[in-house]
Amino acid sequence: MMEISNPILVKEMRTRMRGKRAFVVLTGYILVLSAIIGLIYWAISVNAPVSVSSMAGRILSPVLIYVQLGLICLIAPTFSASAISSEREQETFSLLIATLAKPTTILNGKLGAALTYLLLTMFGSLPLITLTYSLGGVGLGEIALSYLVMIVAGVTFCSLSFMWSTMIRRGVLAQLVSVFTVIFLVLAMPALGLLLTAVANNFVTGPSTSFLNMTFLLLRTNPFAAITYLVIPGVPNPPNTVFLHSVPVWITQVIFYLLLTALSIFISLRRLNKVREWL
């Protein structure tokens, strides 16, 4: 359980919020979302027929959620990728690990500060999603589940980045590896699923059940696919012959990412404990 009185958490939060970077990132995040939604709404209201403009909420809400998830994929790894690497570069890591602070205290403090700022950034978009929700087209339950998918994805990306920061000495290299890890999760795995689907279309006798299971299991790990099934009506469900066909995609995606989070935290604690024992 994360302690609010954790001195490392308090120090990290004060350091993070006192700098210009926190203000710039939060402001840029909101401005990018506002500009994209504003441009799309203007294009719909001016150029689209009435039948389409009356469905603006059904278009704007999914677009806002997709853009938010894309921004989270880009910025979340940077929040914690240099948490430990920067301590090594500044030669303060040995002092930190030699204090009375336990490895769990260091992890909770460093990772907790990154997650707190990530949640602050995400919740900054609530006025915009409230505006698009008022236009209709997407239910409140679908929006709440989409935010759950985004929060879990952000927590997973921060945890994976923290794990890399405990393993890589250079902060820049840790950030690069973290970004490539996120790209692999959100792009490479679904791309492999699409490739397998394209290959399956050339089968004379049709793809086997094992082939379809592997393809849809890859799809079930992707947060964009989970949100697509939540906010886009009419998306065809997985065939009844594949594994877990009756389970919503967002449930398996959230479970998969939570397992990744637990694994990355476990590895991070082992790394911190190993350094402490060596000292």
Side-chain angles (χ1 to χ4, degrees):
M1 183 67 71
M2 188 180 303
E3 299 179 4
I4 301 298
S5 59
N6 185 322
I8 297 177
L9 174 64
V10 175
K11 179 258 182 187
E12 289 290 327
M13 286 300 300
R14 286 178 177 171
T15 304
R16 191 180 295 268
M17 298 308 296
R18 282 173 180 169
K20 294 180 181 178
R21 182 186 176 191
F23 174 78
V24 171
V25 171
L26 182 57
T27 304
Y29 181 82
I30 302 300
L31 286 178
V32 169
L33 292 178
S34 303
I36 292 174
I37 293 302
L39 285 174
I40 294 177
Y41 183 75
W42 175 79
I44 292 176
S45 60
V46 172
N47 301 315
V50 177
S51 59
V52 175
S53 60
S54 61
M55 301 168 60
R58 186 173 293 181
I59 299 172
L60 293 177
S61 294
V63 168
L64 178 60
I65 293 171
Y66 281 131
V67 174
Q68 275 198 89
L69 184 55
L71 291 176
I72 290 169
C73 293
L74 293 175
I75 63 177
T78 65
F79 289 169
S80 59
S82 59
I84 300 299
S85 302
S86 63
E87 297 281 354
R88 285 198 173 102
E89 288 180 330
Q90 298 169 11
E91 299 182 351
T92 55
F93 182 59
S94 297
L95 295 175
L96 177 64
I97 207 73
T99 62
L100 295 177
K102 299 178 181 177
T104 52
T105 305
I106 298 173
L107 184 142
N108 288 338
K110 295 280 188 181
L111 189 56
L115 294 178
T116 303
Y117 184 62
L118 175 68
L119 293 177
L120 175 65
T121 305
M122 291 179 63
F123 289 141
S125 68
L126 285 181
L128 292 174
I129 198 66
T130 303
L131 181 63
T132 59
Y133 170 72
S134 66
L135 298 174
V138 178
L140 190 59
E142 286 82 4
I143 291 176
L145 289 176
S146 298
Y147 266 79
L148 173 64
V149 170
M150 288 191 291
I151 290 172
V152 172
V155 170
T156 303
F157 298 155
C158 285
S159 302
L160 286 169
S161 303
F162 184 83
M163 179 192 72
W164 287 122
S165 77
T166 63
M167 303 173 71
I168 300 174
R169 300 186 67 87
R170 294 291 181 185
V172 175
L173 185 58
Q175 289 194 2
L176 282 176
V177 174
S178 301
V179 171
F180 280 124
T181 304
V182 172
I183 290 174
F184 175 79
L185 285 173
V186 300
L187 291 181
M189 293 183 70
L192 180 59
L194 291 175
L195 176 63
L196 293 176
T197 304
V199 172
N201 292 331
N202 296 321
F203 289 177
V204 177
T205 58
S208 65
T209 303
S210 301
F211 191 91
L212 288 176
N213 280 331
M214 184 170 59
T215 303
F216 279 97
L217 283 177
L218 286 173
L219 182 70
R220 285 179 173 277
T221 65
N222 189 267
F224 286 95
I227 287 177
T228 298
Y229 277 94
L230 283 171
V231 299
I232 304 296
V235 177
N237 291 320
N240 294 335
T241 55
V242 301
F243 186 55
L244 297 174
H245 68 89
S246 60
V247 179
V249 174
W250 71 268
I251 292 180
T252 52
Q253 186 273 327
V254 166
I255 292 175
F256 175 69
Y257 268 45
L258 289 177
L259 290 175
L260 278 181
T261 302
L263 178 63
S264 58
I265 289 176
F266 174 74
I267 295 174
S268 302
L269 282 176
R270 280 182 62 88
R271 291 286 302 175
L272 293 175
N273 276 315
K274 187 176 180 180
V275 175
R276 190 183 184 91
E277 291 171 359
W278 183 81
L279 288 176

